[in-house]
Amino acid sequence: MTQSLVLNATFEPLCVVSTRRALLLVLEGKAEMMSATGRVFRAARITVDEPSVVRLVYFVRVPFQARVALNRRAVFARDGHRCQYCGASAENIDHVVPRSRGGSHSWDNVVAACRPCNTAKRDRMLEESGMKLRRPPVVPRERTWILVASGAIRPDWEPYLPSVAAGLTA
Ligand SMILES: [Zn+2]
């Protein structure tokens, strides 16, 4: 199923919806087309460009935290499916400060890890294990939830994702 990126009236990425839904938003006058997929949608009396990116006419207030649920899929998307200790392909989620040592299950304490690193670290603190994080874990920005929601980021969505330009993709 084709999906479309929905921007808030402020141009901030808001959500990913089916292209059909995005088209309805445009036809109902609730959103304007920013970028088209290049295909057209044909119904009984109309032929319209299929939207790839639409922008809402009215501002919608959404708390950022609500959009990025902390789960395995989202952590892997944020960390590029790479172990944050050695760079190998990640299979596990590691708590930097172990749960048994009071570490929280929060964005700034979970990283993707390969099985050998996850096993090697056990329930030790970072300093005790002698292991190093490639970068500190942070609350993800929009690229992560868009990846989780859509599976892929279309090239014409990139201009609307500021964190891409800011180099978060490393
Ligand atoms: Zn590793």
Side-chain angles (χ1 to χ4, degrees):
M1 183 180 65
T2 320
Q3 292 179 305
S4 305
L5 178 64
V6 179
L7 307 176
N8 212 336
T10 51
F11 289 91
E12 184 196 16
L14 197 61
C15 58
V16 174
V17 299
S18 70
T19 298
R20 188 182 177 80
R21 176 95 204 283
L23 185 62
L24 280 174
L25 287 171
V26 171
L27 293 177
E28 289 167 358
K30 292 176 181 166
E32 60 170 335
M33 179 110 64
M34 302 301 294
S35 178
T37 63
R39 289 186 298 268
V40 291
F41 176 85
R42 287 189 183 83
R45 292 197 195 99
I46 54 164
T47 301
V48 280
D49 289 329
E50 228 182 54
S52 176
V53 181
V54 300
R55 173 176 165 252
L56 294 181
V57 173
Y58 298 105
F59 177 72
V60 175
R61 184 170 292 282
V62 183
F64 181 71
Q65 288 291 344
R67 302 192 306 212
V68 194
L70 174 53
N71 58 46
R72 182 188 172 87
R73 209 172 151 207
V75 172
F76 275 43
R78 181 195 65 181
D79 293 345
H81 294 262
R82 292 282 150 198
C83 173
Q84 295 302 292
Y85 297 108
C86 76
S89 184
E91 300 151 283
N92 294 350
I93 297 295
D94 182 65
H95 290 89
V96 179
V97 176
R99 302 301 299 273
S100 60
R101 309 280 286 268
S104 61
H105 187 63
S106 57
W107 276 112
D108 58 2
N109 193 47
V110 292
V111 291
C114 70
R115 197 160 294 154
C117 285
N118 194 221
T119 305
K121 188 162 166 292
R122 306 199 310 271
D123 59 346
R124 295 181 296 178
M125 304 294 277
L126 209 52
E127 312 80 65
E128 298 168 349
S129 68
M131 295 161 76
K132 279 197 170 65
L133 279 171
R134 308 194 126 202
R135 59 180 179 188
V138 293
V139 176
R141 288 190 274 178
E142 61 275 4
R143 191 179 176 87
T144 297
W145 64 257
I146 291 168
L147 264 174
V148 170
S150 63
I153 290 181
R154 303 161 60 103
D156 64 335
W157 294 6
E158 300 269 3
Y160 302 101
L161 310 178
S163 60
V164 176
L168 192 76
T169 56

